[in-house]
């Protein structure tokens, strides 16, 4: 099954989405860490009340995490699940 064209296409689609998204998220996280360590004046800049840039960036880390999870679920539903379901049914038919 792993050598089939459909399985290879499933892997290609999975990797084409997850690898770039992982790199983008890690870069975004690293930016937050670097700015927190070496751009203290910028990160400490007050935007309104007691809310500063660091707090907004920190909250955006959570927002981006949930957005990535939602976007992956949509991607999988459209691009991965149909192929995976077809392959699963083929394997189940061969087993029975």
């Amino acid at each position: 099954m792993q050598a089939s064209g459909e399985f290879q296409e499933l892997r290609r689609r999975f990797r084409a989405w997850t690898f770039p998204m992982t790199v983008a998220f890690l870069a975004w996280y690293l930016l937050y860490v670097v700015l927190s360590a070496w751009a203290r004046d910028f990160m400490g800049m007050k935007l309104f009340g007691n809310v500063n840039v660091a707090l907004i960036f920190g909250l955006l880390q959570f927002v981006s995490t949930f957005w990535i999870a939602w976007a992956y679920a949509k991607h999988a539903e459209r691009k991965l699940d149909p192929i995976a379901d077809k392959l699963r049914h083929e394997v189940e038919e061969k087993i029975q």
Side-chain angles (χ1 to χ4, degrees), residues 1 3 6 10-11 13-14 22 24 26 28 35-38 43 47 57 61 63 72 75 80-81 87-88 94-95:
M1 181 56 66
E6 287 178 321
L10 179 64
R11 288 180 56 171
R13 288 183 185 193
F14 173 78
T22 300
L26 290 175
W28 160 236
L35 288 175
S36 294
W38 287 288
M43 294 297 269
L47 298 176
F57 272 34
Q61 290 291 319
V63 170
Y72 176 76
H75 169 74
L80 304 177
D81 291 349
L87 291 172
R88 186 183 78 241
K94 289 180 182 179
I95 291 174

Side-chain angles (χ1 to χ4, degrees), residues 34-48:
V34 168
L35 288 175
S36 294
W38 287 288
R40 292 182 165 274
D41 292 338
F42 171 71
M43 294 297 269
M45 188 171 45
K46 299 229 183 231
L47 298 176
F48 52 89

